[in-house]
Amino acid sequence: MGLDKNGIAQRIAQELRGGWYVNLGIGIPTLVANYIPEGIEVEFQSENGVLGMGPFPFEGEEDADLINAGKQTITTMKGASFFDSATSFSMIRGQHVQLTVLGAMEVSENGDIANWKIPGKMVKGMGGAMDLVASADNIIVAMMHSNRAGVSKLLKECSLPLTGVACVKKVVTDLAVLEIKDGAFHLLERAPGVSVEEIQSKTEGNLMVSGDVPEMNI
Amino acid sequence: MNKVIESVEQAVDGIKSNMTLMLGGFGLCGIPENSIAQLVKSGISGLTCISNNAGVDDFGLGLLLHNKQIKKMISSYVGENDEFERQMLSGELEVDLIPQGSLAERCRAGGAGIPAFYTPAGYGTEVAVGKEVREFNGKPHILESALHADFAIVKAWKGDTEGNLVYKATARNFNPMMAMAGKITIAEVEHLVPAGELDPNEIHTPGIFVQRIFQGQHFEKRIEQRTTRSR
């Protein structure tokens, strides 16, 4: 039950507002670009140095010099621009980017996020994630509610090395939309057909439920 | 001032074992692949390489890693490279992982005469261990220092005999900051043109930052993640 990755992306896309510059991370966040609501104009920033990122190229039109932060071949929209990495992170740290969407391995009830390292097992590096979460005002985490072993990813405290502290304000999972404030996950919406009890049972961190929790509209 | 040199052999002349190098590129995009190939041939070792990524197993910096020519990597993201992960987890390779924006700014600072700066990135994480913390406007920041290199090796699309450089699309990435931060900066370009042919309004890296420029003989420009949509 619950949403698939595209469903999560579709729900997050409802958060987009016209005129925003948006940075989408690798994985589920990338899919958000497929669901931009009609009539809304946003521009996508990719931290490797492009503003105005467009869709993937048609076969045969790939350009090795034109990629996104996930190293995928891309295209650009009219009015796009290229810049170096220092300028790119000036946009990010300087809060010129209105929304950051990224994936996570763990999120805690006070808004800590971990997504770059599993000691002794996997070390890929943080890439731009630490700069993004330390600076952005508006961060949405897109992830599954539980990991593959069925363990909750919404925790009292993160067990993995942190990417940032007290920075995540909203989480959209396959089961729910949650807001993080005052040291708790506040349940805002349920995925279609998912009960509050199920969300409660799969949330290790402090979950606040008030009144009737509506279903997502997707 | 004419910065042109004739061959890749001359370009990397003077790069010795145990030196610190900066190498431009993001993933395999905008990497100085001709110079890397020459470093592989040269057999020098004990290198400290500052580069956002570490190539893939059989291309880019992955070639130097495979030959165990690198002692230490300073990078922000090193996934998709099995040999790298093996050497790191076994302790053969020293690795300093740095947030991407801090890496870019530390290179820029190195070239710009700024010894250190405060950034919010990494506060409260492993990255902040041992670093000075200071609050500005009620928000904690950590002190990060400038990076320097004995040689910086960058790749540009077009360059002229004066060392002026123009990059293409997202192949720009770390190249401009690294060009500024090398004691000696080597630029390999796809198209080398006489001074005067590039529009001064459109130069990305002014020639003052470049000591050696040469036209690369062969650019494979490998694509790491070829993604397309259907027509």
Side-chain angles (χ1 to χ4, degrees):
Chain A
M1 286 299 281
L3 304 172
D4 62 7
K5 291 178 175 182
N6 283 298
I8 296 173
Q10 203 177 338
R11 175 60 191 83
I12 290 173
Q14 294 174 7
E15 305 282 317
L16 298 173
R17 298 291 174 268
W20 277 6
Y21 292 102
V22 179
N23 181 290
L24 301 177
I26 295 164
I28 301 172
T30 305
L31 302 171
V32 172
N34 298 334
Y35 299 101
I36 305 168
E38 210 151 304
I40 280 188
E41 200 181 317
V42 294
E43 215 166 294
F44 293 110
Q45 198 253 19
S46 194
E47 64 268 24
N48 58 315
V50 54
L51 202 56
M53 185 169 36
F56 296 139
F58 292 120
E59 205 177 320
E61 293 177 5
E62 309 93 312
D63 179 352
D65 290 324
L66 183 50
I67 62 171
N68 63 17
K71 297 163 192 165
Q72 298 170 308
T73 45
I74 53 162
T75 59
T76 51
M77 307 295 283
K78 271 183 194 164
S81 58
F82 300 120
F83 35 84
D84 64 58
S85 302
T87 305
S88 180
F89 282 91
S90 299
M91 295 175 188
I92 290 164
R93 281 191 309 266
Q95 301 191 330
H96 305 281
V97 174
Q98 278 81 19
L99 173 66
T100 292
V101 185
L102 76 175
M105 298 186 222
E106 297 176 344
V107 174
S108 79
E109 62 192 27
N110 73 334
D112 294 352
I113 175 172
N115 70 355
W116 72 283
K117 183 179 185 181
I118 303 174
K121 273 193 196 155
M122 185 285 285
V123 185
K124 289 184 187 296
M126 65 292 282
M130 284 192 183
D131 309 272
L132 282 158
V133 300
S135 311
D137 246 352
N138 192 7
I139 300 171
I140 299 179
V141 164
M143 65 177 193
M144 303 306 279
H145 212 92
S146 306
N147 66 21
R148 286 195 187 111
V151 178
S152 178
K153 295 169 74 172
L154 291 89
L155 307 171
K156 290 195 174 307
E157 266 182 57
C158 293
S159 64
L160 296 170
L162 295 180
T163 308
V165 293
C167 52
V168 178
K169 298 206 175 91
K170 198 171 250 189
V171 182
V172 179
T173 74
D174 50 328
L175 305 182
V177 179
L178 308 109
E179 188 184 5
I180 298 178
K181 64 175 181 191
D182 307 326
F185 296 102
H186 294 256
L187 184 57
L188 299 184
E189 295 175 24
R190 300 172 290 119
V194 173
S195 68
V196 171
E197 289 71 30
E198 182 179 354
I199 295 164
Q200 180 73 72
S201 73
K202 290 179 175 168
T203 305
E204 192 230 69
N206 187 11
L207 183 75
M208 303 291 280
V209 183
S210 56
D212 278 344
V213 180
E215 277 193 359
M216 297 179 201
N217 180 24
I218 62 170
Chain B
M1 276 173 274
N2 191 338
K3 311 279 177 68
V4 177
I5 43 156
E6 293 309 317
S7 67
V8 68
E9 289 84 356
Q10 288 168 30
V12 303
D13 183 47
I15 301 184
K16 298 190 171 70
S17 291
N18 303 311
M19 280 187 166
T20 296
L21 309 181
M22 285 183 183
L23 299 110
F26 179 95
L28 301 178
C29 182
I31 61 172
E33 51 182 283
N34 288 275
S35 301
I36 291 171
Q38 186 58 34
L39 290 175
V40 171
K41 266 195 217 163
S42 76
I44 58 167
S45 62
L47 296 171
T48 295
C49 292
I50 303 170
S51 177
N52 188 58
N53 312 86
V56 294
D57 281 315
D58 62 345
F59 196 59
L61 285 181
L63 298 169
L64 285 169
L65 278 169
H66 181 80
N67 280 359
K68 308 221 162 71
Q69 291 173 270
I70 301 178
K71 178 182 71 180
K72 180 176 182 181
M73 281 298 309
I74 299 176
S75 302
S76 89
Y77 186 84
V78 293
E80 286 85 60
N81 189 323
D82 294 340
E83 176 64 12
F84 185 100
E85 199 153 6
R86 191 195 64 72
Q87 287 187 24
M88 174 167 56
L89 292 174
S90 71
E92 288 166 63
L93 179 70
E94 277 179 67
V95 179
D96 194 359
L97 290 169
I98 298 178
Q100 195 178 331
S102 297
L103 180 61
E105 194 65 15
R106 289 177 70 180
C107 293
R108 199 194 73 81
I114 304 285
F117 58 90
Y118 290 96
T119 175
Y123 169 76
T125 75
E126 283 180 14
V127 165
V129 174
K131 289 176 184 160
E132 185 189 324
V133 176
R134 190 164 159 187
E135 266 191 29
F136 294 92
N137 303 319
K139 188 172 169 167
H141 293 71
I142 60 175
L143 186 67
E144 292 280 12
S145 58
L147 287 169
H148 302 274
D150 296 306
F151 284 84
I153 312 177
V154 302
K155 189 260 163 178
W157 178 36
K158 294 187 281 193
D160 70 14
T161 50
E162 297 282 308
N164 294 307
L165 304 177
V166 175
Y167 308 94
K168 189 176 154 220
T170 54
R172 191 179 323 181
N173 55 62
F174 283 82
N175 285 297
M177 287 84 63
M178 289 184 171
M180 293 164 65
K183 280 184 205 148
I184 296 176
T185 291
I186 303 162
E188 64 173 70
V189 299
E190 289 179 59
H191 305 283
L192 183 60
V193 301
E197 276 201 20
L198 298 177
D199 180 348
N201 287 301
E202 291 177 1
I203 303 289
H204 297 134
T205 293
I208 192 169
F209 296 119
V210 175
Q211 281 69 47
R212 303 175 185 176
I213 188 167
F214 73 104
Q215 178 151 343
Q217 286 302 305
H218 174 71
F219 287 98
E220 179 183 335
K221 295 174 73 164
R222 194 185 293 187
I223 292 174
E224 204 167 334
Q225 304 279 345
R226 187 180 298 273
T227 43
T228 56
R229 66 188 148 133
S230 42
R231 282 174 198 273

